[in-house]
Amino acid sequence: MTDSLDLSLLPTTDVAARRDEVVALVEAHAGEIARELARLRGGDFGSHDFDTARGTWTVKYEGGDVQYLRYDDGANEVYVVSTHQPPDPAALAAAIDDYPALVRAYNDHVASLDGVLDGIEMDVPDVASTEAVVAERDRILTQIRDVCTEMAGQLHRAEGTDYGTFTARVSGTRWELKRERDRVSYLRVGGEGGRYLLSQYRSPAAVDVRELVTDVPAFVTAFNDHVAALQSDLEGVSG
């Protein structure tokens, strides 16, 4: 029954090849738009819409390259350039017919920015130096570290362990000195999530030093009371 029917199929090779050729040309040209947009925006990622008389083009770029080029005429949407799949040839043809309008819209956009920065003058005051603040902070921290190192050494001698802590409440806030043998690991105020006056990793903010330094003597006094209590506990003990 099929002998009288013409069932031969036309090959799609030529159409697909021509489509791929057109897409490659557009991708290369739109790549220039993407790179210029990235320079203009000052970033590697972004997108921009350009309106034409027929529709809207969206140029999305990543790392200065086209991630996709989309055309929407209100009735149909086609990704002329995409990382997923090539466009339908008929939809591509309709979009390409409007591509020159995209280029004009891009050029008009750039031209609209011409002279936008003209006449701007910057009278910026000199940036203040933090050198004096940092030097004073470091001087105070050195004194605190020296005292805490002495405390760590005394604890190491008294406790005989390689690791330990001494805690005390000062003005209702928990202070903790952590040591490794006779060296200070940290001095933390406020428990977990608190502020570090001494640390192996970074220096505290100057405002924290100013706020907390007045309680350091009370912390040392609490330590001295702790040592005195240890001595009292041993009084009268005979060997």
Side-chain angles (χ1 to χ4, degrees), residues 6-146:
D6 183 3
L7 299 180
S8 60
L9 300 176
L10 293 175
T12 62
T13 305
D14 292 344
V15 176
R18 179 55 181 161
R19 176 201 59 202
D20 294 344
E21 179 184 351
V22 171
V23 168
L25 290 172
V26 173
E27 183 174 4
H29 190 273
E32 297 182 31
I33 296 177
R35 285 187 289 275
E36 293 299 329
L37 284 174
R39 290 178 58 194
L40 186 62
R41 297 288 187 84
D44 288 337
F45 305 90
S47 65
H48 193 91
D49 292 337
F50 295 96
D51 292 326
T52 68
R54 294 187 187 178
T56 299
W57 290 85
T58 300
V59 181
K60 184 172 177 60
Y61 55 89
E62 179 177 342
D65 294 326
V66 177
Q67 190 173 19
Y68 67 72
L69 177 64
R70 183 179 63 209
Y71 176 64
D72 186 350
D73 64 2
N76 297 292
E77 181 181 83
V78 56
Y79 284 81
V80 177
V81 176
S82 171
T83 57
H84 299 292
Q85 65 184 37
D88 174 77
L92 174 63
I96 291 303
D97 193 46
D98 195 52
Y99 186 78
L102 162 64
V103 178
R104 288 192 295 271
Y106 164 78
N107 288 338
D108 290 344
H109 173 66
V110 174
S112 71
L113 299 175
D114 186 33
V116 69
L117 298 177
D118 291 352
I120 293 180
E121 297 182 2
M122 293 186 63
D123 185 12
V124 181
D126 294 336
V127 176
S129 172
T130 62
E131 182 177 357
V133 175
V134 171
E136 183 63 11
R137 179 199 63 190
D138 291 348
R139 182 189 68 80
I140 295 171
L141 290 177
T142 297
Q143 292 180 322
I144 296 174
R145 185 173 292 278
D146 289 345

Side-chain angles (χ1 to χ4, degrees), residues 60-232:
K60 184 172 177 60
Y61 55 89
E62 179 177 342
D65 294 326
V66 177
Q67 190 173 19
Y68 67 72
L69 177 64
R70 183 179 63 209
Y71 176 64
D72 186 350
D73 64 2
N76 297 292
E77 181 181 83
V78 56
Y79 284 81
V80 177
V81 176
S82 171
T83 57
H84 299 292
Q85 65 184 37
D88 174 77
L92 174 63
I96 291 303
D97 193 46
D98 195 52
Y99 186 78
L102 162 64
V103 178
R104 288 192 295 271
Y106 164 78
N107 288 338
D108 290 344
H109 173 66
V110 174
S112 71
L113 299 175
D114 186 33
V116 69
L117 298 177
D118 291 352
I120 293 180
E121 297 182 2
M122 293 186 63
D123 185 12
V124 181
D126 294 336
V127 176
S129 172
T130 62
E131 182 177 357
V133 175
V134 171
E136 183 63 11
R137 179 199 63 190
D138 291 348
R139 182 189 68 80
I140 295 171
L141 290 177
T142 297
Q143 292 180 322
I144 296 174
R145 185 173 292 278
D146 289 345
V147 171
C148 289
T149 299
E150 178 64 22
M151 294 166 64
Q154 296 297 341
L155 288 170
H156 179 57
R157 291 172 59 193
E159 297 174 355
T161 58
D162 288 342
Y163 302 94
T165 59
F166 170 73
T167 62
R169 286 207 165 268
V170 179
S171 301
T173 303
R174 176 185 172 91
W175 286 57
E176 180 179 31
L177 170 65
K178 182 175 176 60
R179 66 175 177 85
E180 180 178 345
R181 296 183 62 84
D182 58 353
R183 297 188 299 274
V184 178
S185 295
Y186 65 71
L187 175 61
R188 184 175 65 197
V189 182
E192 291 291 337
R195 291 174 288 179
Y196 288 81
L197 263 179
L198 299 177
S199 170
Q200 297 175 327
Y201 303 104
R202 64 179 183 273
S203 298
V207 292
D208 288 341
V209 175
R210 179 178 179 84
E211 179 182 344
L212 300 173
V213 70
T214 54
D215 283 333
V216 171
F219 179 63
V220 178
T221 298
F223 173 81
N224 291 340
D225 292 343
H226 171 71
V227 174
L230 292 177
Q231 294 173 342
S232 177

